[in-house]
Each structure stands twice: as structure tokens, then as C-alpha cells.
Amino acid sequence: MSAQSLAAIAQAMVLPGKGILAADESSGTIKKRFDSIRLESTVDSRRAYRDMLFTAPRAADYISGVILYDETLRQSTLSGVPFPRYLAQQGMLPGIKVDAGAKALAGFPGETLTEGLDGLRERLKEYAELGAKFAKWRGVITIGPGLPTNYCLSANAHALARYAALCQEAGIVPIVEPEVLMDGDHGLARCEEVTMLALERTFSELRAHRVDLAGMVLKPNMIVPGEDCKQKATVRDVAEATIRCLKSTVPALVPGIAFLSGGQSPEESTEHLAAMNALGSLPWQLTFSYGRALQAPSLKAWGGKPEGVQAGQAAFLKRARLNGLAHAGQYRRDMEAA
Ligand code: 13P
């Protein structure tokens, strides 16, 4: 695929007013989510849940693409249309999580390295045939006493870059996700410092691996204090620190940045995105690629029951619409009540 086609897909993923739904929970993670509504995780319950989300009427008005898990990419809607084809028909790009998860990094207690490079070229070829237009790989960086180590930052950046290069070779746009976790009691400044290191290292490896920066999307964390930090940050603090960090590390060639929500509440993550987009002209589109922040209210409203489908879809569409408005710079807090 030509560089222009990759760039066109990347741009379509971050179109103004739209963002990405991360619905690529692995079987282990979706089980945890279903446990919260006391629903058994089975092939069929996972399919019914994803069907509820993806068939929400006019979701494509706010959702540019959906990240799927391997199982879902091969499943069909309840009415029998393969999910990737259904999404494409609606105007949403199908994407695929291709990493095999963050595994303990030998010799580095408390740190992980994301695996999944072996055989990736062959898997990407199949995913492209199944209709995937973009992919996701998540590297995980932990803040703690003496963490992250330099080696962990390098190893994860290296894996992200190897993944991204293989994606582009297969005609698939890579979402490059180096996530600095919110776990811990560190302050906002420490998150900023570590995120800066993670992004610098990531872009240095992307360049070294000759990745076309115009044909990718970056999925970073926002700069927020650790979950257990006593000193809370204002929306403005988060917005300013995040933009400062991104401006100093992310080349303007990158078409878009789509944040993960990482444990922020649905409302917080929308407010933060809106505040960043209100800070003035930026070299990239700034949007969302939320998992929990888009799905949590919907999962609860659905409750695993057929009679909950409408309420589940309404809750999902509300978050999708408000985040779309946050991307477009038109979100106001009073819209939450409507
Ligand atoms: P959260 O928005 O729940 O952090 O999930 C996004 C994601 O895809 C993490 O890889």
C-alpha cells in the first residue's frame, strides 16, 4: 500500500468530531468487566455485548473506527453480518489489537514488556484479509520507586516500532500506544516527566525503524496525577501539562493523537479532551480512543439482558456524542445533564 493510502486511513481515524472505540478487551479483561455486572463471559455473551455497542444507531456519526479483539474480528452481528464488514458498511473502520499482552520483564521486577512480534507479519496479512484497516499495540510503563528503568522504556519503544513497521508493510495503520499507568501516588509532574521520556524514546525508535509518521496514530495517556496522589489536579492543569508534553515530543507529521482513558471517569476524560482542544491551534487532531470511559455506563445499563439493549446503546451514544463534541471543541459541562 502507498504512503498516501496509509495517511488517508490515519486521517480518517481522527476526523474532527469523531474518535475511536476501543472494544478490544482480551478474554481475561472482558471477564473482569462482565464480573462487575455478574454476567458470565462466554463466546455468546461477548458477541451479544459487542453487537449491542456496534449496532447503536448512527454510532458512525461520532465513531471513526473500532478496535476489535481477534475473537470479535471473526464473529458476526446477531443478524449474521461479519463484524468487520458491518462496521465498514456503517462507515466505521475495523481495527485489531495485535499484541499478545504485557508480560513480566525478566530481571526487572515490577516492569513489563509487551509481547507478540513472533509471527506478526503473517498474522497482519490475515487480519488485512479479514478487513482490518488499522491495528493496536500497547506498551505499559509503570511509575514507582526507581521505575521506570531506562531498559524498560527502551525495550517497549523498540517493540512498538517493530510492530509499527510491520503494520505499514501490511498496509495497516498502526496505533502506537505507550501507556504510562495511573497506578501509584506520584504527582502530575512525575507523570509528565515519565511520559516525556516514554514518548521521546518511542519516536526515536519509530524513526530508527523508518516508520512513516504520517501513516500512524499515537495513543498516549494524559498527564494526570497517580490514582493515590493526595494532590488532585484541575482540568486546566491536566490540559496544559498534556499539551506541553505532546508539543515537545510528538512531530507535527503525525496526523492524530487519540487518548486512552486509563482509569479516569467517563466525565473526566471528556472534560480533559475538551479542555485540550480549547487550548488553541495544534499541529495534530486530538481525539479519543477510550475503552472504559466509553463503555462503562453502557455496560451497566445493558446489564447483559436483551431488554437492556436500548438503554445500553443510549448510554454508549451519549458518551460517544459528548466525546465527539469534545474533539470538535463544542462540549460544555451542562450537556452531561441533558
Ligand atoms: P481505556 O480507555 O479503558 O484505558 O482503554 C483504552 C485501551 O485501548 C487501552 O489499551
Side-chain angles (χ1 to χ4, degrees):
M1 184 178 292
S2 70
Q4 285 94 323
S5 325
L6 283 172
I9 296 169
Q11 285 160 24
M13 289 163 67
V14 295
L15 273 184
K18 298 192 189 196
I20 297 163
L21 165 63
D24 59 323
E25 297 84 1
S26 62
S27 301
T29 303
I30 200 71
K31 183 186 175 306
K32 275 192 244 160
R33 306 277 184 264
F34 282 7
D35 282 348
S36 74
I37 58 163
R38 297 211 199 106
L39 176 68
E40 194 191 343
S41 178
T42 64
V43 171
D44 289 332
S45 64
R46 294 192 289 269
R47 176 181 175 205
Y49 177 58
R50 268 70 184 244
D51 184 272
M52 183 276 293
L53 291 173
F54 306 164
T55 65
R58 306 189 53 140
D61 288 357
Y62 324 111
I63 300 294
S64 57
V66 181
I67 319 175
L68 305 170
Y69 186 56
D70 181 277
E71 174 186 86
T72 319
L73 188 76
R74 302 169 194 278
Q75 283 179 324
S76 296
T77 62
L78 296 180
S79 55
V81 185
F83 278 131
R85 192 188 310 155
Y86 176 83
L87 292 169
Q89 283 167 353
Q90 300 299 309
M92 294 182 274
L93 296 161
I96 178 75
K97 172 225 224 18
V98 302
D99 68 65
K103 305 288 163 66
L105 182 57
F108 291 79
E111 300 199 290
T112 62
L113 174 58
T114 300
E115 297 187 352
L117 288 171
D118 286 356
L120 183 57
R121 173 177 278 135
E122 292 70 28
R123 287 197 290 133
L124 285 167
K125 187 167 174 284
E126 190 198 0
Y127 287 144
E129 283 161 10
L130 287 168
K133 301 290 176 209
F134 68 94
K136 178 189 112 171
W137 178 290
R138 171 175 174 258
V140 180
I141 305 298
T142 305
I143 298 181
L147 303 187
T149 61
N150 203 27
Y151 183 78
C152 176
L153 288 167
S154 285
N156 276 289
H158 186 263
L160 275 166
R162 280 193 61 198
Y163 140 83
L166 284 165
C167 283
Q168 291 189 336
E169 180 191 80
I172 287 181
V173 169
I175 293 185
V176 174
E177 179 178 5
E179 174 175 10
V180 177
L181 294 177
M182 265 172 81
D183 303 13
D185 61 2
H186 56 271
L188 180 105
R190 179 72 180 138
C191 177
E192 182 171 355
E193 183 183 29
V194 172
T195 304
M196 191 97 92
L197 289 173
L199 292 177
E200 275 169 3
R201 202 66 57 90
T202 300
F203 280 100
S204 151
E205 288 291 342
L206 289 169
R207 270 189 285 263
H209 285 74
R210 302 184 175 171
V211 170
D212 174 10
L213 299 183
M216 62 161 276
V217 169
L218 179 72
K219 177 163 173 168
N221 51 284
M222 296 182 196
I223 307 298
V224 290
E227 220 163 23
D228 304 324
C229 178
K230 299 227 165 47
Q231 186 145 14
K232 300 298 167 205
T234 64
V235 171
R236 200 175 171 90
D237 289 339
V238 170
E240 286 180 351
T242 306
I243 294 302
R244 188 165 60 226
C245 178
L246 294 173
K247 276 191 172 166
S248 73
T249 50
V250 185
L253 256 185
V254 173
I257 297 174
F259 293 98
L260 58 96
S261 60
Q264 298 178 52
S265 75
E267 294 77 14
E268 271 172 344
S269 44
T270 307
E271 264 194 86
H272 288 152
L273 180 61
M276 285 187 265
N277 275 302
L279 281 179
S281 98
L282 300 167
W284 351 259
Q285 291 294 315
L286 220 57
T287 189
F288 57 94
S289 173
Y290 297 157
R292 284 162 286 178
L294 275 173
Q295 295 182 50
S298 172
L299 176 67
K300 207 165 156 221
W302 173 61
K305 303 184 185 78
E307 61 273 23
V309 166
Q310 252 192 345
Q313 292 185 330
F316 167 56
L317 289 172
K318 175 178 175 179
R319 296 281 19 120
R321 185 174 62 84
L322 293 179
N323 282 304
L325 289 169
H327 178 188
Q330 290 160 8
Y331 170 83
R332 290 188 329 268
R333 221 181 157 168
D334 59 6
M335 292 171 171
E336 291 287 349

